[in-house]
Amino acid sequence: KYSFSKISPYSSLGFECLCRYQKPWNLELELKPINLRKIMIESGNTPPSLIPPKASLYSRDVQLISEMMNIPYDFAKTVFIRGSLPTLKILAACQILYPEYMEELTRQSWLGLYSHDIDITDTDNIRQFAENAGVPDVDKLLEFSQGGEARQQLIDNTTEALESKCFGAPWFTITHPETGRREKFFGHDRVEMLGWMIGKPYMGHNPPQ
């Protein structure tokens, strides 16, 4: 399980690295959007952007990692002004209605946000993300995202993460396919540790497919 927030650029980096290892490691990946603000409040954690020593290097750090991984990146300002809740709800709706499109919808919304600083609370933009992801019935997805089931799914994802002691994003909950051993990791750079845990070789940030 990969619990992530749209407001966290590190979530997007961990997501891409994890997706690149799906085939080489035969991973069963379950994507779970969470409300990071709720996580921070309940866990008592402080966002890195509010800690001066971290904030001073935050954007440059993400830029360098993005360049290393060959992922287009531009520092997003709109998400810190307008938030990300509508996109979180559309992803929660997708988790219910079209789970097979979760990966691509997650990717498209992040590309819009961190490559072009697109407002991810705008309905037209969200519609475009869903269309780019190939979602079969975008109108149905948008309508469903406004209802109670999608909202409850987001709440359930966040509650589940908190119950596993989550304090930030991204957050990994790993179950070994043979032994059943379970572990929890925090941070975009824990894919190598995941490989070690399940006995798979880590081959860098861009493994052969």
Side-chain angles (χ1 to χ4, degrees), residues 145-175:
S145 73
Q146 301 302 312
E149 286 186 71
R151 178 176 178 275
Q152 189 59 49
Q153 183 66 63
L154 182 59
I155 291 172
D156 290 347
N157 290 346
T158 306
T159 300
E160 180 183 38
L162 283 167
E163 288 175 349
S164 71
K165 308 302 182 183
C166 175
F167 54 84
W171 183 257
F172 298 77
T173 306
I174 313 300
T175 303

Side-chain angles (χ1 to χ4, degrees), residues 36-162:
L36 186 56
R37 181 174 181 272
K38 178 75 170 176
I39 295 288
M40 288 293 181
I41 291 172
E42 293 294 325
S43 68
N45 199 1
T46 302
S49 59
L50 299 182
I51 302 174
K54 291 184 179 181
S56 65
L57 294 175
Y58 184 78
S59 181
R60 184 57 179 162
D61 185 48
V62 175
Q63 181 70 54
L64 289 172
I65 299 169
S66 299
E67 290 177 7
M68 179 185 72
M69 295 183 65
N70 195 27
I71 298 172
Y73 172 76
D74 185 26
F75 183 71
K77 301 179 180 67
T78 57
V79 71
F80 294 102
I81 299 171
R82 300 185 182 181
S84 61
L85 185 57
T87 293
L88 289 175
K89 289 167 67 177
I90 204 80
L91 286 164
C94 190
Q95 188 180 344
I96 297 169
L97 294 180
Y98 304 113
E100 67 273 25
Y101 290 91
M102 270 293 288
E103 179 181 333
E104 193 56 34
L105 181 56
T106 302
R107 178 175 290 108
Q108 290 299 324
S109 56
W110 259 321
L111 285 172
L113 174 60
Y114 288 116
S115 297
H116 306 291
D117 197 14
I118 291 175
D119 179 6
I120 62 172
T121 67
D122 181 83
T123 301
D124 289 339
N125 291 337
I126 293 173
R127 175 184 292 278
Q128 189 62 59
F129 300 151
E131 290 175 353
N132 291 346
V135 173
D137 192 334
V138 176
D139 288 330
K140 180 180 179 180
L141 183 66
L142 287 167
E143 182 179 356
F144 192 83
S145 73
Q146 301 302 312
E149 286 186 71
R151 178 176 178 275
Q152 189 59 49
Q153 183 66 63
L154 182 59
I155 291 172
D156 290 347
N157 290 346
T158 306
T159 300
E160 180 183 38
L162 283 167

